[in-house]
Amino acid sequence: MKYFSSIMALLISFHLIAQEIKVNSGKYSDYYHIKYEITSGKYSVNTEYGFNKGGQFEVFVPKEYFPITAPMCKKNIIIRMPYSNSEKRKRALYNALLLSKTTTVILELNPYVKVLQKEPLQVELENCNVFFRHKAGDYFDQL
């Protein structure tokens, strides 16, 4: 019974993860996005890297708090903000994260996502990186 309960919990967690991932078709491949709550006390902003030109910054989330498995990662999932000419929304997000606020964000799992199974959707990260979702040259906070 103990093993059955463990297997059921694992299957349920895969199912819940699949429901949280939005698959958007792109020109050349599918893009995998998730809504993720960066929880106060369970992340750190890379202040050494800081807020750079083009609005680039990084957030470290210990892998045990991240909803997608990453077997190759030893410690943290690094959430990176890509470069763009628009920095206003990125600066506001960065400032909120510096204050250790719990913040809901949209992340893009590409290009480091590996699809293990399409139905029901099961994925894992091949590297320790994901990106804040970007669209039309700015951070995009919608699935």
Side-chain angles (χ1 to χ4, degrees), residues 65-81:
Y65 297 130
F66 199 74
I68 309 296
T69 60
M72 301 302 286
C73 295
K74 292 183 175 138
K75 188 175 179 183
N76 292 317
I77 303 299
I78 304 166
I79 304 173
R80 291 193 162 108
M81 181 62 78

Side-chain angles (χ1 to χ4, degrees), residues 113-125:
V113 66
K114 177 180 179 183
V115 177
L116 302 174
Q117 182 176 310
K118 287 220 177 223
E119 288 291 329
L121 183 60
Q122 294 178 23
V123 299
E124 71 179 19
L125 295 177

Side-chain angles (χ1 to χ4, degrees), residues 24-75:
N24 293 303
S25 297
K27 185 174 181 179
Y28 300 107
S29 64
D30 289 337
Y31 290 90
Y32 297 85
H33 302 107
I34 62 168
K35 183 182 280 192
Y36 177 61
E37 186 172 84
I38 300 177
T39 306
S40 180
K42 296 182 179 176
Y43 73 89
S44 62
V45 176
N46 184 351
T47 54
E48 192 173 308
Y49 184 73
F51 188 87
N52 290 282
K53 184 177 179 181
Q56 297 177 3
F57 65 89
E58 297 177 334
V59 176
F60 300 136
V61 176
K63 73 181 239 174
E64 61 268 16
Y65 297 130
F66 199 74
I68 309 296
T69 60
M72 301 302 286
C73 295
K74 292 183 175 138
K75 188 175 179 183

